[in-house]
Amino acid sequence: MIWAVWAPLLAPLAAVPVARRLAALLPPRAAALLLAGCAAALAVFSGAALVLLAVAGLLKLPFVAALGHVKTALLPHDVAFGMPLGTLAALLALAGTAAALRILLGHGRQVLRARAEVARVAGAGDLAVLPDPGADAYALPGRPGRVVVTAGMLRSLDAGERAALLAHERAHLAGRHHLLLLAADLAGCVHPVLRALREPLAFQLERWADEAAVRAVGDRQVVARAVGRAALAASAAPAGRRPAAALSAVAGPVPRRVSALLGAAGAPRGGAWARRGVAAALGVCVVLSGAAVVDATGDLHTSVETAQAADGR
């Protein structure tokens, strides 16, 4: 168990830079799904490894062993079954769980507060216009999702740019992008290395929405102009506080997004062989991490069964 249980905790060190590299070679939608899925999978495997270490350590406690009818003397004498490591793993697992709960509760409070504010203003369909002279626009998740835009932002754009901006925010709602970003935030609570996936994921989600806006309005230059002018307006006349859970067209590295929009149809750089090679490397990291969890779980189960059988004789 000792070797297998370490693999899921070490795998993110190799997988995260590989995932970031692969995301840069993929179209925005595929890149965002890859980053979110990779973060979630590696977090699950890392969390499982911590739980296995914690359980193995707890089995060394006499009252826990008695509850499970386990003879502690017959448990393996490797480090993975030691009390110090088990205690540390349990503390890390509890700390990660507490951090994840704080994020979930904070996300829920922010969304509820923002939706209560939006419910008091005028709007049509999924659009809500805040009477704020500052400039801002964002996609507010919920049932149903709302596109929130300030009066100041509407005054800053022409008709085509407004259509592009609203299409961008609607793409965030349609793709449930807030859930992908939330998955990355929660993954970072389990393993700190996974936090490095959040920034590229946020960028790819904005690029995904940019490309959806291009398909909606049919003009890349209009979308690029809308993104640039909206960001300038928001920086010159900031509006009230935007919920952290809301995604916005004015967020992220705007110059990079505009450059991508004005490039060769937003196509990512890198050949097919490069993508396949990097994807294979990432696949190996994730698959080995999952296989190691399965192997460590089997080893722990076998060790416990052996100690239980001996205790019953």
Side-chain angles (χ1 to χ4, degrees):
M1 174 179 166
I2 185 169
W3 299 113
V5 80
W6 287 114
L9 298 172
L10 297 176
L13 297 174
V16 165
V18 175
R20 290 171 62 102
R21 172 60 180 161
L22 181 56
L25 300 174
L26 294 175
R29 182 177 184 274
L33 294 175
L34 166 85
L35 291 168
C38 183
L42 292 173
V44 168
F45 298 148
S46 298
L50 289 176
V51 170
L52 290 173
L53 287 169
V55 170
L58 288 173
L59 286 173
K60 290 290 188 177
L61 294 174
F63 73 92
V64 175
L67 289 175
H69 305 288
V70 174
K71 193 169 184 179
T72 57
L74 295 179
L75 291 172
H77 294 288
D78 59 39
V79 178
F81 279 85
M83 271 298 299
L85 188 58
T87 301
L88 177 61
L91 291 174
L92 290 175
L94 289 173
T97 301
L101 287 174
R102 282 197 301 271
I103 287 177
L104 286 172
L105 291 174
H107 182 280
R109 282 196 299 266
Q110 291 171 8
V111 170
L112 289 175
R113 189 182 303 117
R115 289 185 67 84
E117 179 183 357
V118 166
R120 295 193 294 267
V121 303
D126 66 345
L127 178 63
V129 180
L130 297 178
D132 191 325
D136 201 4
Y138 54 88
L140 182 62
R143 292 183 180 274
R146 305 294 301 275
V147 173
V148 182
V149 62
T150 64
M153 178 64 81
L154 292 178
R155 286 193 295 267
S156 301
L157 308 177
D158 62 29
E161 293 163 356
R162 286 196 294 268
L165 181 71
L166 297 180
H168 176 105
E169 304 303 348
R170 289 189 173 108
H172 281 318
L173 295 176
R176 298 185 179 274
H177 293 174
H178 64 287
L179 295 180
L180 299 180
L181 206 56
L182 179 60
D185 287 334
L186 296 177
C189 296
V190 180
H191 200 303
V193 173
L194 296 176
R195 296 172 189 167
L197 294 179
R198 191 191 191 280
E199 182 272 332
L201 173 58
F203 172 73
Q204 295 295 346
L205 290 174
E206 294 302 331
R207 287 286 300 117
W208 179 352
D210 288 342
E211 294 300 323
V214 170
R215 291 191 295 273
V217 303
D219 192 326
R220 304 188 71 82
Q221 291 190 349
V222 169
V223 176
R225 194 166 64 244
V227 169
R229 290 188 64 183
L232 286 173
S235 61
R241 189 163 59 94
R242 180 195 314 148
L247 287 98
S248 171
V250 301
V254 172
R256 282 179 61 198
R257 291 168 53 203
V258 172
S259 177
L261 282 165
L262 297 178
R269 294 188 297 271
W273 283 107
R275 289 195 294 271
R276 290 170 186 167
V278 180
L282 180 61
V284 168
C285 291
V286 175
V287 170
L288 286 181
S289 181
V293 168
V294 173
D295 184 52
T297 303
D299 284 351
L300 177 61
H301 182 261
T302 300
S303 299
V304 171
E305 277 195 329
T306 300
Q308 286 176 326
D311 187 61
R313 285 200 297 267

